[in-house]
């Protein structure tokens, strides 16, 4: 593991994944790697829901980088497990982050609450993992309270900056493009434009599929 992203979802994590793979740091783990993968989902259920102490090398075997959740929640443990890995904190304007998250990721919560799928189904199991980590975990069941959610978001970012050595960490807005990322990684700037992946419409379609319904 060479790169760990500690930024929460909807801070450009998918764009960062594409960029890292373009720079040779792939395969890059993303939360959507869990969706549809029975073995990987079961692995994270044991870690997140059952509190099993993971073998991080085994969990991320085959990956050279990791972004989004669960890395953003377990960044501290991962930073210790992979002491040579560089850390990236993706950031975004808090108001825009909240609205984007509410319009996309949080809709998965609302879909599951309204459909109440079979608890043994993959959508229900993914919901349990994400809720334990994020909605009930990080946000204490209060994500719909915008002021509280933004406070948690800003606190998370502060804690990353305060807990990771400054020389190891890049605080990064994907709007900055290739230059700061490549400088941090010691990589050449690619000639092609910086990727912009998973806009709101695309993400909503993916979440609808993950919830077991049509987009």
């Amino acid at each position: 593991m060479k790169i760990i992203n500690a930024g929460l979802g909807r801070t450009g994590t998918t764009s960062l994944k594409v960029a890292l793979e373009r720079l040779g740091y792939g395969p890059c783990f993303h939360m959507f790697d869990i969706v549809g993968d029975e073995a990987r989902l079961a692995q994270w259920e044991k870690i997140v829901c059952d509190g099993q102490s993971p073998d991080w090398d085994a969990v991320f075997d085959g990956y050279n980088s990791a972004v989004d959740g669960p890395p953003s929640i377990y960044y501290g443990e991962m930073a210790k497990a992979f002491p040579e890995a560089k850390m990236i904190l993706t950031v975004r304007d808090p108001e825009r982050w909240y609205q984007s998250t509410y319009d996309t990721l949080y809709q998965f919560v609302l879909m599951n609450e309204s459909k109440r799928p079979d608890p043994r189904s993959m959508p229900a199991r993914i919901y349990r993992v994400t809720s334990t980590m994020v909605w009930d975990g990080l946000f204490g069941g209060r994500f719909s309270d915008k002021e509280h959610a933004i406070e948690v978001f800003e606190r998370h970012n502060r804690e990353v900056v305060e807990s990771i050595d400054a020389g190891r960490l890049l605080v990064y807005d994907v709007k900055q493009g290739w230059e700061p990322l490549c400088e941090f990684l010691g990589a050449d700037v690619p000639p092609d434009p910086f990727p912009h992946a998973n806009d709101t419409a695309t993400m909503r379609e993916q979440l609808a599929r993950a919830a077991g319904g049509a987009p």
Side-chain angles (χ1 to χ4, degrees):
M1 182 62 60
K2 298 176 181 178
I3 309 291
I4 300 166
N5 168 226
L8 296 179
R10 305 313 292 163
T11 59
T13 57
T14 307
S15 296
L16 179 62
K17 166 186 165 69
V18 176
L20 290 175
E21 291 182 335
R22 172 68 178 81
L23 294 174
Y25 290 95
C28 180
F29 176 90
H30 186 283
M31 180 67 199
F32 276 113
D33 287 18
I34 297 173
V35 177
D37 188 324
E38 170 65 34
R40 198 169 295 282
L41 175 58
Q43 184 182 53
W44 280 102
E45 284 177 315
K46 292 176 183 177
I47 298 169
V48 176
C49 303
D50 301 335
Q52 183 181 91
S53 296
D55 177 346
W56 291 113
D57 285 311
V59 169
F60 292 106
D61 182 43
Y63 290 97
N64 285 308
S65 55
V67 303
D68 199 67
S72 61
I73 304 300
Y74 290 91
Y75 74 89
E77 294 178 37
M78 291 176 64
K80 293 177 182 177
F82 304 107
E84 301 303 316
K86 293 188 175 183
M87 309 288 294
I88 299 174
L89 173 63
T90 41
V91 296
R92 187 178 185 182
D93 172 78
E95 292 279 344
R96 292 178 64 85
W97 164 82
Y98 180 80
Q99 193 60 55
S100 177
T101 305
Y102 188 91
D103 290 343
T104 56
L105 300 177
Y106 193 59
Q107 296 306 304
F108 184 68
V109 177
L110 301 180
M111 289 175 197
N112 276 269
E113 290 178 348
S114 64
K115 293 183 178 181
R116 298 184 180 278
D118 182 331
R120 296 166 297 180
S121 69
M122 184 161 285
R125 292 168 62 196
I126 294 169
Y127 172 67
R128 181 173 175 236
V129 169
T130 56
S131 291
T132 302
M133 279 196 308
V134 180
W135 311 116
D136 291 335
L138 183 65
F139 293 103
R142 295 174 56 196
F143 182 81
S144 59
D145 179 344
K146 179 179 178 180
E147 184 176 343
H148 171 74
I150 288 178
E151 179 183 334
V152 172
F153 172 72
E154 293 178 327
R155 182 171 67 241
H156 171 85
N157 291 346
R158 286 197 304 271
E159 289 175 351
V160 173
V161 171
E162 291 168 0
S163 63
I164 303 298
D165 182 78
R168 187 184 182 187
L169 176 68
L170 172 67
V171 179
Y172 177 60
D173 187 326
V174 294
K175 289 183 179 180
Q176 295 173 283
W178 287 116
E179 283 73 15
L181 178 63
C182 291
E183 181 179 359
F184 177 67
L185 299 177
D188 293 332
V189 176
D192 41 307
F194 189 85
H196 294 286
N198 265 3
D199 59 19
T200 296
T202 302
M203 177 60 81
R204 285 178 69 95
E205 291 175 2
Q206 290 178 309
L207 291 168
R209 285 194 291 272

